[in-house]
Amino acid sequence: MVVRVLRLGHRSERDRRITTHVCLVARAFGADEVVVSGENAGEAVSSVEKIVLKWGGDFSVKFDKNWRKILLGAKKKKHLIVHLTMYGERVQDVVSAVRASKDVLVVVGAEKVPREVYELADYNVSVTSQPHSEVAALAVFLHEFFEGKELEKKFEGAKLKLIPSSRGKKFSE
Ligand code: SAM
């Protein structure tokens, strides 16, 4: 199973931090890849790449201006397209049907998402039917999708590992 995330509408100055957070959440919560679309995302992409080198795991991030090509490519390969939007069906009502699919492309927006995205999506899914953020929506969706198993994920090849502790910060290298 491959889970990819498409981050739509990145604006190079304004969204640098939030796009980085979308990528970090995708990685930490079990996705395999993020494709960032919109304006040039070079800085966000390279900061995430540095984190992957340090913290391990098989995760990639890339920039592709052409979101339509990504969506049509996913359709062609029969990957399920799940667009996260507050207007969609409730995640708790559709997540088991989504889980039945082998490969999934999860789409998150920034500002206005083109109508075509709603139409190309197999599912338009909301996390609470309230306005909030792509970072929160993605985290909760992935947690529901993986049924919490992503919390046990091992990140192979890490240069730095945290040792969970009740107080302070412990690392092993
Ligand atoms: N009107 C937008 C919408 O359709 O959800 C809110 C824009 S919000 C600033 C940016 C992105 O956050 C949206 O494109 C969507 O991917 C995600 N988002 C915000 N609230 C959400 C919710 N309740 N459920 C799922 N996704 C949400």
Side-chain angles (χ1 to χ4, degrees):
M1 176 201 288
V2 173
V3 176
R4 292 190 300 149
V5 175
L6 171 61
R7 196 287 192 266
L8 294 174
H10 171 80
R11 295 158 293 181
S12 34
E13 286 309 310
R14 218 181 133 171
D15 289 330
R16 192 178 307 149
R17 198 152 179 269
I18 200 150
T19 294
T20 304
H21 287 188
V22 163
C23 297
L24 296 183
V25 160
R27 172 185 171 273
F29 286 76
D32 301 285
E33 181 180 76
V34 175
V35 182
V36 182
S37 177
E39 294 173 7
N40 187 345
E43 287 197 36
V45 167
S46 62
S47 74
V48 175
E49 282 171 342
K50 280 185 200 144
I51 286 178
V52 176
L53 276 179
K54 196 167 169 182
W55 291 90
D58 193 9
F59 177 84
S60 61
V61 53
K62 64 181 188 190
F63 174 75
D64 193 326
K65 205 174 171 56
N66 194 344
W67 57 265
R68 193 175 283 106
K69 184 192 81 188
I70 305 289
L71 288 179
L72 294 175
K75 275 245 167 280
K76 205 168 171 184
K77 287 186 251 164
K78 305 222 181 307
H79 295 181
L80 198 79
I81 300 174
V82 177
H83 169 221
L84 299 182
T85 164
M86 67 179 188
Y87 305 107
E89 298 179 89
R90 303 181 332 152
V91 64
Q92 58 270 45
D93 295 337
V94 296
V95 72
S96 42
V98 170
R99 221 181 274 127
S101 175
K102 208 166 152 268
D103 299 310
V104 179
L105 178 66
V106 186
V107 184
V108 294
E111 279 295 288
K112 192 155 170 52
V113 172
R115 184 76 226 158
E116 198 180 341
V117 175
Y118 291 79
E119 273 143 28
L120 284 170
D122 297 291
Y123 289 92
N124 290 291
V125 176
S126 85
V127 175
T128 72
S129 308
Q130 298 294 323
H132 50 83
S133 127
E134 51 272 53
V135 177
L138 182 61
V140 172
F141 174 78
L142 291 173
H143 186 61
E144 289 289 313
F145 178 81
F146 289 118
E147 300 178 286
K149 295 186 187 82
E150 82 289 353
L151 300 178
E152 301 293 339
K153 183 170 173 151
K154 302 278 177 276
F155 292 84
E156 302 301 334
K159 293 196 174 107
L160 197 59
K161 277 188 193 156
L162 276 178
I163 302 166
S165 67
S166 58
R167 276 184 195 80
K169 301 174 185 173
K170 289 189 189 156
F171 296 96
S172 68
E173 291 200 33

